[in-house]
Amino acid sequence: MELELYDIITLSNNKEYTILRMIEEEDGNTYFLLALMNGDEPTDTLEIVRYVKNDDEERIEMIEDEDKLNLLKEDFMQLLDEDM
């Protein structure tokens, strides 16, 4: 499955999110900035997750490394600022 911006995905908490932004790093890691959905509308509740895809599986992981999470927050904020 190929995920794109604004696709709706369901996480392990059984809540639906939309993909607001994606960052693909040179090492092959892909990170998503997600917004929790309320019906058909995104909310202000945001999550940053790692998308893992290889030959055997696809999964979405929460990011536990606080330093990495903080760097990603800065990167996503910069992307959002560029869009304004």
Side-chain angles (χ1 to χ4, degrees), residues 1 3-4 9 16 19-20 24 26 28 35 37-38 43-44 46 55 60 62 67-68 70 74-75 77 82:
M1 165 175 50
L3 293 173
E4 299 178 2
I9 59 174
E16 290 187 330
I19 301 171
L20 294 180
E24 295 181 27
E26 291 179 13
M37 296 297 292
N38 182 13
T43 67
D44 292 340
L46 303 176
D55 294 337
I60 293 179
M62 301 308 285
D67 292 333
K68 181 65 177 179
N70 288 331
E74 290 176 20
D75 292 343
M77 289 306 295
E82 290 172 3

Side-chain angles (χ1 to χ4, degrees), residues 17-77:
Y17 294 80
T18 187
I19 301 171
L20 294 180
R21 295 289 176 274
M22 301 163 76
I23 293 176
E24 295 181 27
E25 294 188 335
E26 291 179 13
D27 62 4
N29 286 317
T30 302
Y31 297 92
F32 295 153
L33 175 64
L34 305 177
L36 179 65
M37 296 297 292
N38 182 13
D40 292 338
E41 297 294 322
T43 67
D44 292 340
T45 303
L46 303 176
E47 297 284 343
I48 298 175
V49 296
R50 179 174 171 233
Y51 175 61
V52 177
K53 180 179 180 181
N54 56 43
D55 294 337
D56 300 328
E57 67 178 327
E58 291 181 66
R59 69 178 185 277
I60 293 179
E61 301 175 337
M62 301 308 285
I63 300 166
E64 297 182 17
D65 180 337
E66 288 296 320
D67 292 333
K68 181 65 177 179
L69 188 58
N70 288 331
L71 288 173
L72 287 166
K73 284 179 185 177
E74 290 176 20
D75 292 343
F76 279 120
M77 289 306 295

